[in-house]
Amino acid sequence: MPIIKRIDHVAMVVEDIEGALAFWRDALGLSLELLQEVPREKSAIAFLPVSGVEIELVQPTSADSGIAKYLEKRGPGMHHICLEVDDISAMLAQLKEKDVQLIHEEPVIGDGGRKYAFIHPKAAFGVLMELYELP
Ligand code: ZN
């Protein structure tokens, strides 16, 4: 059986990353580990670690991106929670077997060889869930 190892990150959608950093970095005092544009995803992201778990801020950089549409529809706020699993393919197979609705039926290969997939929020009682398998 595949095993959930830990929470990897919690992601928030924001309209303006710099504005959001005034809260997360400057007011709360979290350290900013990474701030970069991701042209492939038409977004900018910031990572602020909290003892092994990352707070991720995502800002759309183009009006036609999925994340921009999400922001327009729902406004800023919580976007998804990401769980690290030891074997993402086995976990996706297990979820399919249990008729859990998935956004990605197969793992997607991301930066640095990490594998990820999203579970549909309908299946997780309104929460968009991401799975990670780190290389
Ligand atoms: Zn994520």
Side-chain angles (χ1 to χ4, degrees):
M1 285 258 291
I3 293 166
I4 302 289
K5 296 168 79 176
R6 50 188 282 279
I7 294 175
D8 186 89
H9 61 272
V10 178
M12 261 63 79
V13 186
V14 300
E15 283 166 349
D16 164 28
I17 259 185
E18 286 299 333
L21 283 174
F23 171 70
W24 293 99
R25 180 191 56 200
D26 304 337
L28 286 180
L30 294 177
S31 56
L32 177 62
E33 184 186 72
L34 177 76
L35 175 61
Q36 69 174 29
E37 289 224 9
V38 189
R40 180 169 47 91
E41 306 278 350
K42 296 176 181 172
S43 63
I45 55 168
F47 279 102
L48 302 106
V50 183
S51 73
V53 179
E54 309 266 1
I55 301 285
E56 178 182 8
L57 306 177
V58 187
Q59 177 207 309
T61 51
S62 160
D64 65 347
S65 64
I67 203 86
K69 290 186 183 103
Y70 182 97
L71 184 61
E72 196 182 292
K73 203 170 147 190
R74 304 199 189 197
M78 267 283 307
H79 187 253
H80 66 270
I81 297 176
C82 178
L83 300 175
E84 185 190 349
V85 296
D86 64 339
D87 184 340
I88 194 170
S89 298
M91 180 58 80
L92 290 173
Q94 174 175 302
L95 294 172
K96 268 185 264 185
E97 199 184 289
K98 295 186 185 297
D99 290 323
V100 170
Q101 192 180 346
L102 303 172
I103 292 174
H104 301 110
E105 301 255 323
E106 301 295 333
V108 182
I109 310 295
D111 293 339
R114 71 185 166 84
K115 296 177 188 168
Y116 69 92
F118 280 93
I119 301 169
H120 201 284
K122 275 183 193 157
F125 300 86
V127 182
L128 177 61
M129 296 295 302
E130 182 178 23
L131 300 171
Y132 252 18
E133 181 187 321
L134 299 174

